[in-house]
Amino acid sequence: MTMRFARAALTACLLGTAAIAAVAVSMTPAIAAKSSGPTVSPAVGKLLQPAQKALEAKDFATAMGLIKQAQALPDQTPFDTYSINNFLANASLGTNDYVTADQAYEAMAESPAMPDGDKPITLKNATLLANQEKHYDKAVKYGTAYLALGTPDAIVVATLAQSYYFTNDFTNAAAYAQKAIDATPAGQPPNRAALEIKLSSQIKAKHEDEAVTTLETVVTYYNDADDWGQIVDFALGVKGIKDAQALHIYRLRVAAKANGTEDDYRLAATLSQQLGYPGEAQAFINAGIAAGKLNAGNPLVKSVSAAAAADRAVLPQLEKLAKTASGDVVLKLAETYYGYGRYADAEASARAAIAKGGAKLDTAEAQMLIGEALLGEGKNADAVAAFNQVQTSSPAWAKAQHIWLVFANRKYDASAPSQ
């Protein structure tokens, strides 16, 4: 199955991060003469001295007027021009004029007069602003130069990942995104922007298996409904999948509150009916209505409700039959209980089915049901253990087991007491 991931929020997510970081620069560029460094010419200094005071007072209009006068001066030295651009960049940032700030920082980054001591902050801000203004080749150039100074910075690394992505260098984009993820402090979730870049790069490079693994990391930390929907959709594309296996994957859409389409809920309900679980069909219909994907007036709603009512009426007969029947019949009862949200009964019956056994019993299905039911009961740690006990040679059951484990582990981590 071809992945159909939608990463529409990618650009906005990263550009917001870059903008915030760029604004946080020092607003007091130094112009005072230093015995060990270059100095501005007297004419330029005469204008920049009061401009600095204006910047310190956040009087950006006055500062900008003085800076423009300095720009118009003839016979500037390279350091004069560098210093004027420094003031221009800071004044522009003060008024949120990122276009002008970007131009000023690019000029500073390219200047042969840039003092060594200025290189870290200048190259960093030039990187962030160039990226924000979509000058991605410049951002790559300045970001690479910044990191070459030996000063690690997670924001610059993540920005480089984005810049490489938008220059279609997906290999470097994924590599730098991974560096940003690896730099995550202990106890904190990985940078979501970096995860998004890594994921999108893998998708663009058509590395689907790697992309799925990254997507699982995203949902583990950020629990996004769209991303859970993508995981369910991809799992349903496993080769050789059977109806019962598909049902267990569809169940995760409801358990994880994953986004889905009208067809997703309708097909899940239809499949449940075909397998003989009208109660679960009604649960899928109700979930679709609650999600705003199904209309309560849909003809399927009425037919499913009628079938579920009839099923409830004959449930006592199935319960009586299961007392003396083989494991596959008991499992049928367990699945029925699950569809009605009777999770404790579903767990107990699934365990009873395994104990009874039988040639027709699918043990993997029974064990999967135990894990799902335990999650429904809120026994998250027990559910993780149950899913880990599923033994199967079926790729479809293995896929169902895997994605439910991703979900169960997240639930367990979220509910576990802090140490």
Side-chain angles (χ1 to χ4, degrees):
M1 177 179 179
T2 301
M3 300 180 81
R4 57 178 182 86
F5 294 127
R7 318 308 314 168
L10 177 67
T11 302
C13 179
L14 286 170
L15 292 187
T17 301
I20 293 171
V23 171
V25 302
S26 169
M27 297 298 291
T28 56
I31 63 166
K34 298 180 182 179
S35 58
S36 59
T39 61
V40 296
S41 62
V44 172
K46 185 176 181 179
L47 291 167
L48 293 190
Q49 286 285 3
Q52 179 157 338
K53 292 182 180 179
L55 283 176
E56 291 171 349
K58 300 188 184 303
D59 182 357
F60 301 116
T62 297
M64 190 63 77
L66 292 164
I67 292 165
K68 287 182 177 180
Q69 292 180 49
Q71 284 181 310
L73 290 174
D75 303 322
Q76 296 178 22
T77 68
F79 189 69
D80 285 339
T81 304
Y82 173 85
S83 299
I84 293 169
N85 278 315
N86 191 2
F87 274 73
L88 177 62
N90 281 277
S92 300
L93 288 173
T95 57
N96 298 325
D97 181 359
Y98 298 120
V99 173
T100 302
D102 171 52
Q103 293 169 351
Y105 265 110
E106 284 191 12
M108 291 164 65
E110 299 285 351
S111 173
M114 177 171 53
D116 288 343
D118 284 5
K119 285 182 179 180
I121 189 64
T122 298
L123 290 172
K124 177 177 179 177
N125 288 330
T127 301
L128 300 180
L129 286 162
N131 181 75
Q132 178 161 305
E133 296 307 311
K134 301 182 181 181
H135 302 160
Y136 300 118
D137 56 338
K138 294 284 190 179
V140 167
K141 178 181 179 180
Y142 303 143
T144 303
Y146 171 84
L147 294 179
L149 297 175
T151 306
D153 188 290
I155 293 175
V156 173
V157 172
T159 302
L160 270 172
Q162 184 192 14
S163 296
Y164 273 120
Y165 179 85
F166 284 112
T167 56
N168 296 321
D169 185 344
F170 304 122
T171 299
N172 270 318
Y176 275 92
Q178 187 60 55
K179 288 180 181 180
I181 293 166
D182 291 341
T184 302
Q188 295 184 20
N191 181 287
R192 183 163 190 176
L195 285 170
E196 292 281 358
I197 283 290
K198 181 182 177 183
L199 174 59
S200 295
S201 297
Q202 290 166 336
I203 295 169
K204 290 285 188 179
K206 302 187 184 304
H207 297 160
E208 290 193 353
D209 290 342
E210 295 175 9
V212 170
T213 299
T214 301
L215 184 62
E216 290 169 358
T217 302
V218 174
V219 296
T220 295
Y221 287 102
Y222 293 101
N223 199 34
D224 184 87
D226 283 333
D227 291 331
W228 277 116
Q230 302 283 11
I231 285 177
V232 170
D233 290 342
F234 188 74
L236 287 167
V238 65
K239 291 182 179 180
I241 190 170
K242 297 180 180 178
D243 287 350
Q245 297 161 337
L247 174 62
H248 282 255
I249 292 173
Y250 272 122
R251 280 177 181 167
L252 183 59
R253 189 182 304 280
V254 175
K257 296 181 173 60
N259 283 348
T261 65
E262 176 183 353
D263 282 346
D264 290 326
Y265 293 102
R266 181 178 56 78
L267 290 172
T270 301
L271 178 62
S272 299
Q273 280 191 302
Q274 292 173 347
L275 289 170
Y277 309 127
E280 185 151 22
Q282 187 172 45
F284 279 120
I285 290 295
N286 291 341
I289 292 173
K293 302 299 181 181
L294 279 176
N295 190 310
N298 191 304
L300 183 62
V301 175
K302 184 176 182 180
S303 65
V304 165
S305 297
D311 184 65
R312 288 189 182 90
V314 300
L315 181 57
Q317 298 176 29
L318 179 58
E319 292 172 327
K320 183 177 180 180
L321 176 62
K323 292 179 180 179
T324 57
S326 59
D328 58 299
V329 176
V330 180
L331 180 58
K332 174 85 171 180
L333 175 63
E335 294 280 19
T336 300
Y337 281 144
Y338 185 91
Y340 288 117
R342 295 172 58 175
Y343 301 123
D345 290 335
E347 178 203 348
S349 294
R351 293 187 187 279
I354 293 173
K356 283 194 172 187
K360 295 182 180 180
L361 176 67
D362 188 335
T363 306
E365 179 182 358
Q367 193 64 51
M368 283 292 301
L369 181 56
I370 291 172
E372 294 157 10
L374 285 166
L375 281 177
E377 296 175 68
K379 299 177 180 179
N380 301 327
D382 291 340
V384 170
F387 286 125
N388 276 317
Q389 291 174 19
V390 176
Q391 296 182 1
T392 180
S393 59
S394 163
W397 277 131
K399 177 62 70 174
Q401 174 196 29
H402 177 73
I403 63 174
W404 272 98
L405 261 174
V406 171
F407 178 68
N409 275 307
R410 187 189 187 284
K411 294 277 286 185
Y412 172 57
D413 289 342
S415 63
S418 58
Q419 299 298 317

mmCIF file of all heavy atoms in Angstrom, residues 288-306:
data_model
loop_
_atom_site.group_PDB
_atom_site.id
_atom_site.type_symbol
_atom_site.label_atom_id
_atom_site.label_comp_id
_atom_site.label_asym_id
_atom_site.label_seq_id
_atom_site.Cartn_x
_atom_site.Cartn_y
_atom_site.Cartn_z
ATOM 1 N N GLY A 288 -18.493 6.928 14.238
ATOM 2 C CA GLY A 288 -18.485 7.752 13.038
ATOM 3 C C GLY A 288 -19.382 8.961 13.168
ATOM 4 O O GLY A 288 -19.031 10.062 12.713
ATOM 5 N N ILE A 289 -20.526 8.785 13.811
ATOM 6 C CA ILE A 289 -21.447 9.912 14.034
ATOM 7 C C ILE A 289 -20.806 10.910 14.998
ATOM 8 O O ILE A 289 -20.842 12.120 14.778
ATOM 9 C CB ILE A 289 -22.786 9.400 14.591
ATOM 10 C CG1 ILE A 289 -23.526 8.586 13.514
ATOM 11 C CG2 ILE A 289 -23.650 10.574 15.064
ATOM 12 C CD1 ILE A 289 -24.780 7.906 14.017
ATOM 13 N N ALA A 290 -20.183 10.399 16.077
ATOM 14 C CA ALA A 290 -19.536 11.270 17.063
ATOM 15 C C ALA A 290 -18.392 12.056 16.441
ATOM 16 O O ALA A 290 -18.133 13.209 16.817
ATOM 17 C CB ALA A 290 -19.032 10.442 18.243
ATOM 18 N N ALA A 291 -17.711 11.446 15.477
ATOM 19 C CA ALA A 291 -16.591 12.113 14.805
ATOM 20 C C ALA A 291 -17.052 13.066 13.713
ATOM 21 O O ALA A 291 -16.237 13.758 13.103
ATOM 22 C CB ALA A 291 -15.642 11.068 14.215
ATOM 23 N N GLY A 292 -18.367 13.096 13.451
ATOM 24 C CA GLY A 292 -18.891 13.974 12.416
ATOM 25 C C GLY A 292 -18.680 13.449 11.003
ATOM 26 O O GLY A 292 -18.789 14.199 10.035
ATOM 27 N N LYS A 293 -18.397 12.157 10.881
ATOM 28 C CA LYS A 293 -18.138 11.566 9.566
ATOM 29 C C LYS A 293 -19.347 10.834 9.000
ATOM 30 O O LYS A 293 -19.425 10.598 7.797
ATOM 31 C CB LYS A 293 -16.957 10.591 9.659
ATOM 32 C CG LYS A 293 -15.675 11.229 10.161
ATOM 33 C CD LYS A 293 -15.193 12.346 9.246
ATOM 34 C CE LYS A 293 -13.893 12.957 9.737
ATOM 35 N NZ LYS A 293 -13.430 14.052 8.872
ATOM 36 N N LEU A 294 -20.279 10.463 9.852
ATOM 37 C CA LEU A 294 -21.491 9.765 9.419
ATOM 38 C C LEU A 294 -22.712 10.560 9.833
ATOM 39 O O LEU A 294 -22.752 11.128 10.935
ATOM 40 C CB LEU A 294 -21.560 8.365 10.037
ATOM 41 C CG LEU A 294 -20.753 7.249 9.371
ATOM 42 C CD1 LEU A 294 -20.878 5.968 10.183
ATOM 43 C CD2 LEU A 294 -21.214 7.002 7.949
ATOM 44 N N ASN A 295 -23.700 10.574 8.961
ATOM 45 C CA ASN A 295 -24.957 11.245 9.261
ATOM 46 C C ASN A 295 -25.898 10.268 9.943
ATOM 47 O O ASN A 295 -26.038 9.118 9.518
ATOM 48 C CB ASN A 295 -25.582 11.767 7.954
ATOM 49 C CG ASN A 295 -26.759 12.682 8.207
ATOM 50 O OD1 ASN A 295 -27.670 12.348 8.958
ATOM 51 N ND2 ASN A 295 -26.738 13.850 7.571
ATOM 52 N N ALA A 296 -26.541 10.719 11.004
ATOM 53 C CA ALA A 296 -27.450 9.848 11.743
ATOM 54 C C ALA A 296 -28.603 9.361 10.868
ATOM 55 O O ALA A 296 -29.244 8.351 11.176
ATOM 56 C CB ALA A 296 -27.997 10.577 12.975
ATOM 57 N N GLY A 297 -28.860 10.051 9.762
ATOM 58 C CA GLY A 297 -29.939 9.639 8.867
ATOM 59 C C GLY A 297 -29.498 8.642 7.813
ATOM 60 O O GLY A 297 -30.305 8.211 6.973
ATOM 61 N N ASN A 298 -28.250 8.236 7.841
ATOM 62 C CA ASN A 298 -27.749 7.247 6.884
ATOM 63 C C ASN A 298 -28.530 5.939 7.019
ATOM 64 O O ASN A 298 -28.738 5.459 8.133
ATOM 65 C CB ASN A 298 -26.251 7.006 7.151
ATOM 66 C CG ASN A 298 -25.581 6.193 6.058
ATOM 67 O OD1 ASN A 298 -26.010 5.093 5.754
ATOM 68 N ND2 ASN A 298 -24.519 6.746 5.493
ATOM 69 N N PRO A 299 -28.968 5.337 5.905
ATOM 70 C CA PRO A 299 -29.735 4.086 5.977
ATOM 71 C C PRO A 299 -29.007 2.981 6.740
ATOM 72 O O PRO A 299 -29.643 2.120 7.359
ATOM 73 C CB PRO A 299 -29.929 3.711 4.506
ATOM 74 C CG PRO A 299 -29.834 5.009 3.767
ATOM 75 C CD PRO A 299 -28.844 5.822 4.519
ATOM 76 N N LEU A 300 -27.696 2.992 6.698
ATOM 77 C CA LEU A 300 -26.928 1.967 7.389
ATOM 78 C C LEU A 300 -27.137 2.039 8.897
ATOM 79 O O LEU A 300 -27.124 1.009 9.586
ATOM 80 C CB LEU A 300 -25.429 2.135 7.062
ATOM 81 C CG LEU A 300 -24.471 1.097 7.641
ATOM 82 C CD1 LEU A 300 -24.797 -0.295 7.111
ATOM 83 C CD2 LEU A 300 -23.023 1.459 7.310
ATOM 84 N N VAL A 301 -27.363 3.248 9.413
ATOM 85 C CA VAL A 301 -27.561 3.424 10.847
ATOM 86 C C VAL A 301 -28.788 2.648 11.317
ATOM 87 O O VAL A 301 -28.755 1.932 12.324
ATOM 88 C CB VAL A 301 -27.702 4.920 11.197
ATOM 89 C CG1 VAL A 301 -28.035 5.097 12.678
ATOM 90 C CG2 VAL A 301 -26.430 5.675 10.838
ATOM 91 N N LYS A 302 -29.865 2.754 10.559
ATOM 92 C CA LYS A 302 -31.108 2.078 10.940
ATOM 93 C C LYS A 302 -30.956 0.569 10.869
ATOM 94 O O LYS A 302 -31.370 -0.160 11.787
ATOM 95 C CB LYS A 302 -32.245 2.537 10.033
ATOM 96 C CG LYS A 302 -33.599 1.962 10.407
ATOM 97 C CD LYS A 302 -34.697 2.544 9.518
ATOM 98 C CE LYS A 302 -36.070 1.997 9.917
ATOM 99 N NZ LYS A 302 -37.170 2.555 9.057
ATOM 100 N N SER A 303 -30.343 0.056 9.806
ATOM 101 C CA SER A 303 -30.219 -1.390 9.646
ATOM 102 C C SER A 303 -29.296 -1.982 10.704
ATOM 103 O O SER A 303 -29.554 -3.071 11.244
ATOM 104 C CB SER A 303 -29.705 -1.734 8.244
ATOM 105 O OG SER A 303 -28.387 -1.247 8.056
ATOM 106 N N VAL A 304 -28.209 -1.271 11.023
ATOM 107 C CA VAL A 304 -27.276 -1.750 12.044
ATOM 108 C C VAL A 304 -27.945 -1.757 13.409
ATOM 109 O O VAL A 304 -27.770 -2.705 14.196
ATOM 110 C CB VAL A 304 -25.995 -0.887 12.051
ATOM 111 C CG1 VAL A 304 -25.185 -1.132 13.316
ATOM 112 C CG2 VAL A 304 -25.145 -1.184 10.833
ATOM 113 N N SER A 305 -28.701 -0.735 13.715
ATOM 114 C CA SER A 305 -29.394 -0.666 15.011
ATOM 115 C C SER A 305 -30.373 -1.818 15.171
ATOM 116 O O SER A 305 -30.469 -2.430 16.246
ATOM 117 C CB SER A 305 -30.134 0.671 15.153
ATOM 118 O OG SER A 305 -29.227 1.746 15.143
ATOM 119 N N ALA A 306 -31.088 -2.134 14.100
ATOM 120 C CA ALA A 306 -32.043 -3.241 14.160
ATOM 121 C C ALA A 306 -31.327 -4.565 14.351
ATOM 122 O O ALA A 306 -31.756 -5.426 15.144
ATOM 123 C CB ALA A 306 -32.870 -3.272 12.877
#
